[in-house]
Amino acid sequence: MSKSNAMLAPQAPADVSLTRDDMSFIAKLVYEQAGIVIREHKEAMTRGRLARRVKALGLGSVSEYCAYLKTPQAADEIPELINAVTTNHTSFFRERHHFDHLRKDVLPKLVQERSARRGRIRIWCSASSSGEEPYSIAAVSRDVLGARSDIDFRILATDIDTDILAKAETALYPVDQFERLPSDIKPLLKIEAHGRGEARISDDLRRMIAFKRLNLIERWPMTGPFDVIFCRNVFIYFDTQTKASILDRFVALLSPGGFLYLGHSESLPQPHPQLRLIGRTIYERLP
Ligand SMILES: C[S@@+](CC[C@H](N)C(=O)[O-])C[C@H]1O[C@@H](n2cnc3c(N)ncnc32)[C@H](O)[C@@H]1O
């Protein structure tokens, strides 16, 4: 059933209880499709998130939803399931020390080195959620780059969740999200009033970013190299094996001397021979 048909379907109150079998089925499917480990204590949260899909499809229960997911017609539903179960919490300049490091220690050197040969600078934000992280990267990058046009500068922002990527691309946020920001960084986002309590990130910053859907556990189409990779607050959802495999692929795409930023509660699954910890959750790729 399409989402729009579901909107027209008569809605009986759905049974959103989650049996042990349904929970293991969903957990297995989500792990296979996205690498996300749903732990048992997340059952209530999972139930709430699945309830959204049960309702959207006009189904009567989570068990019916699981039965539907087992049919061949359900292929289109898998991305919707993944969108429903992802946690997208983020904010502008979250874990600010990474943006300070990028602005003061990384970009000035890269700009000096690359401008001499009209080179490129590439940054990958690999779990970009609703866009606050890549727009914060664009803001500090514009601050360092100024108006210079002798460098080919791009940010690739990717996420598995298509709904959240669509939101990111609008670049529209409630104004109170900006009001909470420290006064030294707020102007860097160059926001423009939009009405209805919202503001939009300037076109100048938006043009620096390409948003794309990318599942970190699938094949990546990019060949790199990247000077900087942000992978923050997504490793927490993965198991050691998934993290180790993604990490190897990050290292292969990072330029020697490039930087990887992880989230505040994340660390490498095991020490990596080509990565050196140089600051709080900041790793440098060795030559
Ligand atoms: C908690 S948010 C973190 C956002 C941002 N990086 C930050 O630190 O503020 C985690 C993001 O990871 C994304 N995600 C989860 N599994 C993924 C996967 N297999 N591939 C790509 N993105 C994934 C989710 O959709 C979500 O937007």
Side-chain angles (χ1 to χ4, degrees), residues 7-278:
M7 299 302 173
L8 303 173
Q11 301 273 306
D15 171 8
V16 291
S17 59
L18 190 60
T19 65
R20 197 166 275 270
D21 281 355
D22 290 343
M23 177 70 179
S24 348
F25 168 73
I26 293 288
K28 183 166 177 286
L29 189 58
V30 169
Y31 178 73
E32 285 164 2
Q33 298 290 327
I36 297 171
V37 178
I38 303 183
R39 303 190 199 283
E40 266 180 39
H41 69 277
K42 298 280 179 183
E43 190 183 314
M45 193 176 80
T46 309
R47 197 184 322 123
R49 291 174 175 186
L50 295 179
R52 260 170 51 198
R53 294 308 308 152
V54 171
K55 205 168 161 216
L57 291 164
L59 298 172
S61 66
V62 174
S63 290
E64 268 183 43
Y65 182 58
C66 291
Y68 174 63
L69 284 169
K70 289 173 190 160
T71 64
Q73 308 90 282
D76 291 350
E77 176 57 22
I78 304 287
E80 301 289 350
L81 166 69
I82 302 305
N83 289 355
V85 297
T86 50
T87 297
N88 305 117
H89 177 77
T90 187
S91 53
F92 290 108
F93 293 97
R94 180 182 191 186
E95 297 167 41
R96 178 172 169 173
H97 65 284
H98 289 151
F99 300 96
D100 291 339
H101 181 254
L102 182 66
R103 185 182 181 189
K104 296 188 186 124
D105 300 321
V106 181
L107 285 170
K109 278 191 211 144
L110 282 176
V111 167
Q112 198 183 21
E113 182 193 307
R114 304 289 156 87
S115 63
R117 45 190 171 93
R118 301 187 75 79
R120 327 181 331 165
I121 297 177
R122 291 289 182 268
I123 299 182
W124 178 20
C125 176
S126 70
S128 57
S129 190
S130 38
E132 287 87 335
E133 188 175 76
Y135 290 123
S136 303
I137 299 170
V140 295
S141 302
R142 173 56 74 216
D143 186 54
V144 177
L145 287 165
R148 62 191 318 146
S149 56
D150 54 348
I151 291 174
D152 171 9
F153 180 91
R154 308 263 357 233
I155 299 164
L156 171 67
T158 63
D159 200 284
I160 194 173
D161 182 335
T162 49
D163 290 341
I164 211 71
L165 280 171
K167 182 174 181 323
E169 282 191 284
T170 67
L172 276 173
Y173 300 93
V175 280
D176 61 3
Q177 262 185 261
F178 302 105
E179 278 156 12
R180 290 193 296 259
L181 289 172
S183 55
D184 61 326
I185 47 177
K186 185 177 158 189
L188 302 181
L189 283 165
K190 302 187 184 175
I191 53 171
E192 294 157 1
H194 183 72
R196 290 194 318 247
E198 288 185 317
R200 175 173 263 147
I201 306 290
S202 72
D203 285 348
D204 174 42
L205 297 191
R206 294 172 67 195
R207 279 194 291 267
M208 296 166 88
I209 307 172
F211 285 98
K212 303 263 182 246
R213 181 184 184 272
L214 182 139
N215 183 346
L216 284 167
I217 68 161
E218 288 178 352
R219 203 187 67 78
W220 305 341
M222 313 85 79
T223 49
F226 289 98
D227 300 292
V228 176
I229 297 179
F230 280 71
C231 181
R232 308 188 316 156
N233 304 299
V234 63
F235 266 13
I236 37 170
Y237 303 104
F238 298 152
D239 62 13
T240 306
Q241 195 189 323
T242 305
K243 285 190 278 196
S245 135
I246 293 173
L247 199 69
D248 279 340
R249 295 197 285 155
F250 280 154
V251 171
L253 284 191
L254 263 180
S255 331
F259 295 94
L260 169 69
Y261 299 123
L262 297 184
H264 64 292
S265 61
E266 298 168 324
S267 55
L268 300 185
Q270 67 241 355
H272 195 289
Q274 280 172 285
L275 289 176
R276 183 169 66 108
L277 183 67
I278 57 130

